[in-house]
Amino acid sequence: MDGAASAPVAIIAGSGALPLEVANSATRAGRQVFMALLSGSADPAHYAGFEYAEFGLGQLGALLKSLRQRGIVEASLIGGVVRPGLADIKPDFGLVRHWAELAQAFRKGDDGLLSGIIAILENQGIKVVSALAIAPDLAVTVAGPVTTRHPTREALEEIALGLKLMAALSPFDVGQCVVVSDGRPVAIEGAEGTDAMLQRVADMRRTGRLKRESGGGVLVKAPKIGQNMRIDIPAIGPQTVRNAADAGLQGIAIAREQVLLADRAATIALADRLGLFIEATP
Amino acid sequence: MDGAASAPVAIIAGSGALPLEVANSATRAGRQVFMALLSGSADPAHYAGFEYAEFGLGQLGALLKSLRQRGIVEASLIGGVVRPGLADIKPDFGLVRHWAELAQAFRKGDDGLLSGIIAILENQGIKVVSALAIAPDLAVTVAGPVTTRHPTREALEEIALGLKLMAALSPFDVGQCVVVSDGRPVAIEGAEGTDAMLQRVADMRRTGRLKRESGGGVLVKAPKIGQNMRIDIPAIGPQTVRNAADAGLQGIAIAREQVLLADRAATIALADRLGLFIEATP
C-alpha cells in the first residue's frame, strides 16, 4: 500500500446507498474514510461503522475546518441532493465569503452550482476527485455484456444511436440517458431523473402510445462528453433494471469505466432473472 | 381567385380539432375541400359541413381512387394519429404493392413512416403540401409577442437556449419542444408529447424536484431544422397555455410562420387571462 492509497479521504455524502458503497469500496482499497454527511440527505444511521459528522449545505466553513483538523486533503462528492433553492442555503461564516461566487454558479444549473462548491473547496487546498477514483471496483472495466443475455444486432444499433444523441446534447446541462426503441429515441432524460423517465416509457407502453415492434428497445446511460465526473457519476442499480424491465426494454447500455454499477451482484442477478442485458460500451 | 387557389384540395384528417380549423381556413382562402377522414382517428360528426369519406390506415388504394374520381391532385395531412403497429395496418390492394417500401420506412420512426406514405401518394400524382400552405392564416407571421405580456430579458435568453438545444436535436426523429427554466433545460419532449411533458414539469414543481428561482421558465416550440412540414406541423392551443400555466411557466415561444396557433382568439385570450406571453421568434 503506497502513501496515496492509504491517505485519509472525505466522502461528502448525500442520500441513497451509493455513499456507503463508495465508503466500503474505498476501505477495501485501503483508504481511511471520513464521512461528511449532508444534513437531511444522508442518514447517519447508515454510517455507524465509519467516522462521520453532519453538515448543512451552507456549512462549507465548518466542513473545511473539520477536514483540516483530520489532515484530510482529498474529498469526493457522492449521493443525491435535491437541488436547493438559493434561499434554502443558510451560509455559515466560511461560505459567506464565497456567496457571490456561489450565487453566480447557481444560475448555471446543477453542474454550475456543484462546480462552484468544488472550486471553493479546491481553493482551500482540498483536492476533489471522482468517487470512481477512490472506489474503482464499482465500475465495469471491460466492454461487452456482464449478463447472460447479450444485445442483439438491432439493440447494438439502438445503443449507437443513443450515444450519438447524447453526444449532441453534451453542450447542455441536461440528462445523461435516453431510451431508444424501434430505432428511434422515445424518451430523453431532463430534470425528472432516470427512474421517472423509465416510468414514462412504461406508461406509454401501457396506454398504447408506444407500440413494441421489435426487440423492445434499450436504455443508454453515459456521461456527457467532457462531463465533470467529480460532480456527477452516472449510475445504475437494481431499481434501474426493474424499471427498464417494466418499460419493456431489452437491456441497458452503460459507458465502460464511466458508469457506477451499484449493488453489482444483485443488479446483474436481477437482470439475468428478468432476461435483460447490461452491456458496457467500448 | 386564381386557378390554384380555387382548385379542390383533400385534407387527410386525424384526430383533434385542427383538421376542422384547417378546413375552415382553406375554405376562407377559397379552396374547395374534400375531407379524407382516418377511421378511428377523425370523428365524421365534426365534418358534417364538408364533403367527406372515411379510410383505414391501410386503404391507400381506396383513397387514391377517391381523389382521382374528384379530380383532386393536392392533399395535406393534419391531426393526430397514434403511430400504429405495423401489424395494425390492414393493407388494401393499392397499398400491398408498396408494402415492402412502407415496412422499411416504418423502421425509421414517425417521420420515416409518413414520408413513405407521402412518397407513395406523390408517385401516384398527388402533390402533398403543408397544412399551413392551404391555411396560412393559422400561423403567426410577425415576430414578437401576440399577448399583452412580453417576455423578460431572462425569458428571451431561455428561448435562445431552447432553440439552440432543439437545433442540436434536429438530426434525430424526436420531440419539437423543450422547457427551459432558471437558465437550464429541464424537460425535453420525446414520444410522450407536449402535454405530458408540461404535466411532468408541473409535477416536478409540486414535488419540489424543480425549484423556481426566477421568472418561471419558458416552453419553446419549433420545428426541427429541415423538418418536413408536410408531415408534422408543431402546434399550440388553449390546452398548451393551460398546461404551461400549471407548470409555472412565464410564457411560450413559437417559431414564426412554422407553428400553428390553434383556436387563435381563445388561445391568446387565455394566455392574457393567465398572465403568460406567447412570443413568435424571428
Side-chain angles (χ1 to χ4, degrees), chain B residues 155-249:
Chain B
L156 289 171
E157 281 170 18
E158 290 176 336
I159 292 167
L161 180 65
L163 290 172
K164 244 173 89 180
L165 172 52
M166 279 189 293
L169 283 177
S170 272
F172 304 93
D173 179 13
V174 70
Q176 306 155 333
C177 66
V178 59
V179 172
V180 181
S181 179
D182 288 325
R184 64 177 189 134
V186 296
I188 301 172
E189 184 186 330
E192 74 278 13
T194 304
D195 288 343
M197 188 200 65
L198 287 171
Q199 183 58 56
R200 174 160 89 243
V201 176
D203 289 344
M204 288 193 284
R205 300 265 197 225
R206 253 188 295 277
T207 59
R209 187 171 183 102
L210 203 58
K211 300 284 170 63
R212 178 181 169 152
E213 296 304 321
S214 45
V218 296
L219 169 70
V220 184
K221 186 139 192 168
K224 286 173 276 196
I225 295 169
Q227 174 157 337
N228 190 337
M229 297 285 283
R230 301 179 307 165
I231 287 177
D232 191 11
I233 299 174
I236 68 162
Q239 190 61 40
T240 321
V241 171
R242 225 174 337 255
N243 291 339
D246 285 348
L249 303 187

Side-chain angles (χ1 to χ4, degrees), chain A residues 25-44:
Chain A
S25 171
T27 304
R28 281 196 296 274
R31 305 296 294 263
Q32 188 191 327
V33 169
F34 170 63
M35 300 301 296
L37 307 181
L38 294 173
S39 306
S41 292
D43 182 351

Side-chain angles (χ1 to χ4, degrees), chain A residues 85 165 169 186 191 209 211 213, chain B residues 85 88 165 169 186 191 209 213:
Chain A
L165 172 52
L169 283 176
V186 296
R209 189 174 179 98
K211 299 286 170 62
E213 294 305 320
Chain B
D88 297 337
L165 172 52
L169 283 177
V186 296
R209 187 171 183 102
E213 296 304 321

Side-chain angles (χ1 to χ4, degrees), chain A residues 195-217:
Chain A
D195 288 343
M197 188 199 65
L198 288 171
Q199 183 60 55
R200 175 161 88 244
V201 176
D203 289 345
M204 288 193 284
R205 299 268 197 221
R206 252 188 296 277
T207 59
R209 189 174 179 98
L210 203 59
K211 299 286 170 62
R212 176 181 170 154
E213 294 305 320
S214 46

Side-chain angles (χ1 to χ4, degrees), chain A residues 2 27-28 30 46 62 65 74 81 84 92 118 131 137-138 142 162-163 180 194 196 209 219 222 226 241 258 274 280:
Chain A
D2 64 14
T27 304
R28 281 196 296 274
H46 297 160
K65 194 175 160 196
E74 195 175 7
V81 184
D92 71 2
I118 288 176
D137 69 4
L138 298 183
V142 181
L163 290 172
V180 182
T194 304
R209 189 174 179 98
L219 170 70
V241 172
Q258 297 185 293
L274 297 173

Side-chain angles (χ1 to χ4, degrees), chain A residues 95-239:
Chain A
L95 185 54
V96 160
R97 292 183 296 161
H98 304 285
W99 195 245
E101 199 178 325
L102 196 69
Q104 190 186 29
F106 200 88
R107 279 280 302 149
K108 293 178 187 158
D110 284 2
D111 288 12
L113 173 65
L114 289 168
S115 293
I117 290 172
I118 288 176
I120 295 169
L121 287 170
E122 297 220 312
N123 278 338
Q124 299 299 313
I126 306 297
K127 187 183 173 201
V128 179
V129 299
S130 155
L132 287 177
I134 61 171
D137 69 4
L138 298 183
V140 176
T141 52
V142 181
V146 294
T147 46
T148 307
R149 184 164 179 189
H150 293 204
T152 59
R153 202 176 60 176
E154 177 200 41
L156 289 171
E157 282 169 18
E158 291 176 336
I159 292 167
L161 179 66
L163 290 172
K164 248 174 85 181
L165 172 52
M166 279 189 293
L169 283 176
S170 272
F172 305 93
D173 180 12
V174 71
Q176 305 154 337
C177 67
V178 60
V179 171
V180 182
S181 179
D182 288 325
R184 65 181 187 132
V186 296
I188 302 172
E189 185 186 329
E192 73 277 14
T194 304
D195 288 343
M197 188 199 65
L198 288 171
Q199 183 60 55
R200 175 161 88 244
V201 176
D203 289 345
M204 288 193 284
R205 299 268 197 221
R206 252 188 296 277
T207 59
R209 189 174 179 98
L210 203 59
K211 299 286 170 62
R212 176 181 170 154
E213 294 305 320
S214 46
V218 298
L219 170 70
V220 184
K221 187 142 193 166
K224 286 173 279 200
I225 295 168
Q227 175 158 338
N228 191 337
M229 298 284 283
R230 302 178 307 167
I231 286 177
D232 190 12
I233 298 174
I236 68 163
Q239 190 61 40

